[in-house]
Amino acid sequence: MTLAQHLAAYSEWRARVSGVVESFADWLVQNDLGDAQIDRRIAHLLDSLREDRLHVAFVAEFSRGKSELINAIFFAGYGSRILPSTAGRTTMCPTELIFDRSKDPSISLLPIESRESHAGVGEYRRFPAEWQTLPIDPDSAEAMQDALRHVSDVIRVAPEVARRLGFTVDGEDATAFRIDEEGKVEIPRWRHAIINFPHPLLQQGLVILDTPGLNAIGTEPELTLSLLPNAHAVLFILAADTGVTQSDLTVWREHIALPEGRRKGRLVVLNKIDGLWDELRSDEEIDAEIARQVADCAATLELPEEQVFPVSAQKALVAKINGDAELLERSRLSRLERALSEELIPAKQEIVRQAAESEFLDWRERTRSLLDSRLTGLREQLAELIELRGKNRNVVEYMMGKVRAEKEEFEGGLQRYYAVRSVLSQLSNNLFGHLGLDSLRLLSNSTREAMVNATFSATLSSAMKHFFEVARKNLAKSGGEVTEILSMMEAIHKKFAIEHGLKLGAPAGFSLARYEKDIDRLDRWCNTHVNTMFQLLTHEKNQLTQRFFEEVAVQVRKTFERANRDAESWLKAIMAPLEIQIREHRTQLKRRLESIKRIHQATDTLEERIDELTRIERGLVGQLDRLDRISGQFRETVRQTVGEPATG
């Protein structure tokens, strides 16, 4: 299967999973089995499946053929180049290719001057008026080309303006920004570009991130702190005519290579192998030279050779447009496309599958528990009524008193439940006291004050280290509160199960490990890009302070925001099963008492009540069977491998 076919199959699989979830939601409503918490979670999962995206990032220094590679893989069907691809710099700013059905086909361009506001690109996404938007005609390749050339726009500014906008125009890193005879330098006109058009792959959820070179990566920290780490695959493009240069190695080591030897989702493309094609050499000699270059690249980047893909993007594009199968085979692009199809999509599917299965399993267990509780209560009523057959009025009165006493005992036991809610409220306040944004805001203010008042570089460095130390301590304290909440809920579950027969499983756990890893990652980035001896010695205090808060602290805040949202959802979820079971048990006791009262008062005959409850029992057993069938259908659907034919 091609990448397009794999992606289409993945999109169909998501649609099938959504269909089963929707049918489950409808069934819950029809049988009065839902609750507000489950309804919200089902809606959230359906939104996630509908808006699911597959992010592929292309990263390279200038003139490595990155835009041509994107054209060859994704846009050859247009019969022409879509992204500009000429000698020198073509993509001057980070560019996202995406499809949003709510917007017209267009290019949205964020002016480079927006950097002066000290807000990240992510912040600007919420303010469309700050972007310059140009319409595009997706039915015309020529019109598309003309529009997309704007991504390459540049402006010439004074060196001090370039520095203010974050460009290095002095020192060894300034080779791309030479001062011309008028005393100006050429810089990108745009900070970020978003291209929205209905390409079939983009319609199916693919998002392509085109990242131009070390300078763009270095001046937009959001790329390395958010966009690249969250990409499902990163293709790092080298050129066979240059090999691995020092700037290539810097991009790889600082921004792409994963820690601890992990390599999943990182592919290296050795482009322009057609430069090695030589009519004076045999095919075997050419293959040997390509193999040698692949081995050298793999050794330099500390990767297995299987993760380095030699290709000729330009020849592959020509071959696809002209229908030249022999040239396409020689370009070797098919192997790279297979790797994207066979590694990227299954890995993404597994992430979605695990999330969907985890959610559905919880809903199933909660629904089964509710049905079991109803069935148990109903059978208790039936047993009581059957026991009354042939008995006199005194026995009926005795039974009525027994159920009334049980109801009163349960109502008395609810005082413990209300006490638990009070304690949970206090523990939740403690949790958000450590995890909440108010605490982080205080930490940020004290850190900023320490950095502003610092008189030595060591004091600046210590303030940044202290920021991360306190952030970690706050997460650790929050973890302690989570453990205490979980222990308390486990105890109350056991107590209600033993004393009142409530069917309660173990309460759901919650881990802060993912946020701790995020903080560790941001700390490492800070220690290699901001809190270094070179940065401390070459940048003014105010400049360094501003950079720390604009680039690092803002990402820490986003991590804490995610932790807050997830903790709030967990706290709601952990109480829901107990609340549902308590509500259901009270209802069952009330119905049992009402049923015996009606028999005692001769408003119903005993046999009529037994017949009615027997019919309800059969209905509940049928609902349990239906739940099992829906669960089986969900498991079968969600566990299908992309590309397998759909079943019943």
Side-chain angles (χ1 to χ4, degrees):
M1 291 177 70
T2 65
L3 177 60
Q5 290 169 328
H6 262 97
L7 198 53
Y10 173 67
S11 183
E12 290 169 6
W13 171 80
R14 279 200 325 258
R16 291 197 300 272
V17 174
S18 295
V20 179
V21 172
E22 286 171 347
S23 67
F24 176 70
D26 291 341
W27 179 76
L28 289 178
V29 172
Q30 291 165 10
N31 292 278
D32 192 27
L33 292 167
D35 62 73
Q37 178 71 9
I38 285 185
D39 291 346
R40 281 195 298 270
R41 290 169 64 182
I42 288 176
H44 182 264
L45 177 61
L46 289 172
D47 285 343
S48 298
L49 289 168
R50 190 163 39 249
E51 299 300 325
D52 179 49
R53 303 283 190 185
L54 194 65
H55 294 259
V56 181
F58 288 73
V59 182
E61 280 287 70
F62 293 116
S63 300
R64 302 295 189 264
K66 172 171 49 62
S67 297
E68 191 79 324
L69 181 64
I70 296 174
N71 282 325
I73 294 176
F74 301 108
F75 304 120
Y78 278 81
S80 180
R81 289 185 177 92
I82 296 301
L83 291 182
S85 179
T86 57
R89 303 177 200 172
T90 52
T91 308
M92 294 296 292
C93 68
T95 303
E96 288 180 72
L97 293 92
I98 193 170
F99 180 61
D100 183 346
R101 287 176 173 79
S102 67
K103 299 177 182 177
D104 293 330
S106 60
I107 303 177
S108 296
L109 301 156
L110 183 63
I112 194 68
E113 291 81 5
S114 64
R115 284 186 179 172
E116 294 194 74
S117 70
H118 310 310
V121 173
E123 298 291 321
Y124 275 101
R125 291 178 193 269
R126 297 184 296 167
F127 303 104
E130 300 292 333
W131 299 67
Q132 188 171 128
T133 300
L134 306 173
I136 58 176
D137 180 3
D139 297 323
S140 167
E142 187 176 333
M144 287 277 292
Q145 289 172 331
D146 289 340
L148 292 175
R149 287 194 183 97
H150 287 286
V151 175
S152 309
D153 287 352
V154 296
I155 54 175
R156 294 165 67 236
V157 299
E160 56 270 21
V161 174
R163 292 188 197 97
R164 195 168 67 244
L165 294 173
F167 296 101
T168 303
V169 295
D170 308 298
E172 294 181 3
D173 296 334
T175 53
F177 299 100
R178 297 192 185 282
I179 300 174
D180 64 17
E181 56 189 20
E182 295 181 15
K184 294 186 176 182
V185 295
E186 192 177 83
I187 64 171
R189 182 178 180 184
W190 312 111
R191 181 181 181 184
H192 199 89
I194 299 175
I195 302 170
N196 181 58
F197 77 109
H199 184 281
L201 293 178
L202 302 183
Q203 287 177 317
Q204 290 165 6
L206 181 70
V207 176
I208 300 169
L209 175 63
D210 185 2
T211 305
L214 179 60
N215 195 275
I217 293 175
T219 52
E220 286 294 347
E222 191 170 340
L223 286 171
T224 52
L225 293 176
S226 178
L227 293 178
L228 290 181
N230 292 328
H232 300 104
V234 177
L235 273 68
F236 182 52
I237 297 94
L238 303 169
D241 55 357
T242 60
V244 184
T245 67
Q246 188 57 48
S247 61
D248 289 326
L249 197 56
T250 300
V251 172
W252 172 259
R253 288 178 174 171
E254 294 189 6
H255 305 297
I256 301 175
L258 292 167
E260 302 165 7
R262 293 184 288 115
R263 305 184 182 97
K264 200 167 186 179
R266 298 295 187 266
L267 304 178
V268 174
V269 180
L270 181 64
N271 194 19
K272 302 187 179 182
I273 61 169
D274 52 292
L276 303 176
W277 298 352
D278 186 343
E279 294 179 357
L280 299 179
R281 292 197 293 177
S282 68
D283 289 347
E284 291 76 14
E285 289 174 321
I286 293 171
D287 289 345
E289 174 61 20
I290 292 173
R292 184 189 66 77
Q293 290 216 22
V294 166
D296 287 347
C297 289
T300 303
L301 301 178
E302 300 177 342
L303 278 176
E305 291 183 23
E306 300 79 52
Q307 277 186 257
V308 180
F309 296 83
V311 304
S312 170
Q314 191 269 335
K315 298 303 181 190
L317 179 62
V318 171
K320 285 186 175 184
I321 291 173
N322 295 333
D324 189 336
E326 184 178 344
L327 182 60
L328 182 60
E329 179 66 24
R330 198 178 184 198
S331 75
R332 303 196 187 192
L333 185 68
S334 299
R335 180 172 164 251
L336 174 62
E337 291 181 321
R338 278 196 303 274
L340 280 172
S341 300
E342 295 169 4
E343 294 180 24
L344 171 62
I345 294 176
K348 173 62 172 171
Q349 185 189 21
E350 186 58 29
I351 293 170
V352 175
R353 175 189 288 129
Q354 288 177 0
E357 279 194 306
S358 175
E359 280 289 297
F360 193 90
L361 180 62
D362 185 64
W363 305 337
R364 176 190 176 278
E365 290 307 308
R366 191 177 294 187
T367 305
R368 173 168 281 282
S369 178
L370 180 57
L371 285 172
D372 284 341
S373 177
R374 287 183 181 179
L375 193 57
T376 300
L378 186 77
R379 285 173 174 167
E380 286 178 0
Q381 288 185 62
L382 265 173
E384 288 167 350
L385 295 182
I386 290 170
E387 191 179 338
L388 292 177
R389 278 175 170 159
K391 301 293 174 60
N392 60 31
R393 187 178 181 85
N394 290 336
V395 175
V396 176
E397 289 176 350
Y398 167 77
M399 190 68 74
M400 189 164 58
K402 181 183 173 184
V403 176
R404 186 180 286 118
E406 188 178 339
K407 185 173 182 294
E408 289 172 356
E409 182 186 357
F410 182 72
E411 294 293 340
L414 286 181
Q415 298 307 312
R416 283 193 297 273
Y417 166 69
Y418 298 131
V420 164
R421 291 197 61 133
S422 176
V423 174
L424 178 65
S425 177
Q426 180 59 49
L427 291 174
S428 300
N429 289 338
N430 293 344
L431 170 62
F432 290 114
H434 307 309
L435 192 64
L437 298 182
D438 287 341
S439 175
L440 187 65
R441 195 174 296 111
L442 290 172
L443 173 61
S444 296
N445 290 341
S446 63
T447 302
R448 187 185 293 275
E449 185 177 350
M451 293 179 73
V452 168
N453 294 329
T455 53
F456 300 101
S457 296
T459 313
L460 271 176
S461 178
S462 296
M464 287 185 268
K465 289 178 180 177
H466 179 72
F467 177 85
F468 280 102
E469 287 171 2
V470 175
R472 285 193 183 91
K473 285 179 182 176
N474 285 345
L475 283 175
K477 290 175 182 176
S478 301
E481 301 295 342
V482 166
T483 301
E484 193 168 348
I485 290 170
L486 199 55
S487 298
M488 182 189 69
M489 293 305 299
E490 287 172 349
I492 198 69
H493 274 210
K494 287 179 183 177
K495 198 165 190 66
F496 271 85
I498 293 169
E499 294 183 0
H500 305 289
L502 269 60
K503 296 182 180 299
L504 293 162
F510 180 63
S511 173
L512 293 166
R514 75 194 84 167
Y515 316 109
E516 291 168 350
K517 287 180 181 178
D518 263 356
I519 296 299
D520 289 342
R521 177 177 62 84
L522 293 168
D523 191 10
R524 285 195 301 271
W525 192 91
C526 181
N527 287 333
T528 55
H529 292 81
V530 181
N531 192 10
T532 68
M533 186 57 66
F534 175 78
Q535 295 289 337
L536 291 166
L537 293 176
T538 58
H539 288 78
E540 294 181 2
K541 177 180 65 177
N542 291 342
Q543 194 177 16
L544 206 61
T545 300
Q546 180 176 315
R547 188 178 178 197
F548 176 78
F549 283 97
E550 289 174 5
E551 300 177 6
V552 181
V554 69
Q555 295 295 332
V556 172
R557 189 194 73 210
K558 288 179 180 178
T559 297
F560 270 75
E561 286 174 349
R562 289 194 298 272
N564 271 262
R565 286 196 300 268
D566 291 346
E568 286 176 3
S569 297
W570 172 68
L571 287 169
K572 291 175 182 175
I574 201 173
M575 284 299 293
L578 182 59
E579 290 172 342
I580 291 169
Q581 287 286 322
I582 285 173
R583 186 170 63 244
E584 187 66 24
H585 195 67
R586 291 177 84 173
T587 301
Q588 293 291 348
L589 286 170
K590 183 179 178 181
R591 285 174 180 167
R592 284 169 61 193
L593 186 58
E594 183 64 26
S595 182
I596 297 173
K597 273 183 179 178
R598 288 162 69 180
I599 294 167
H600 181 260
Q601 295 166 358
T603 55
D604 281 356
T605 68
L606 180 60
E607 293 306 319
E608 283 176 341
R609 291 299 296 153
I610 289 174
D611 288 346
E612 182 184 349
L613 293 181
T614 302
R615 287 195 300 273
I616 295 173
E617 179 188 27
R618 285 198 297 268
L620 287 173
V621 171
Q623 288 177 359
L624 282 165
D625 289 342
R626 178 60 179 152
L627 176 62
D628 287 340
R629 288 198 299 274
I630 292 175
S631 299
Q633 183 186 6
F634 176 81
R635 278 196 304 272
E636 187 176 348
T637 303
V638 81
R639 291 180 183 176
Q640 285 171 353
T641 300
V642 162
E644 283 185 356
T647 56

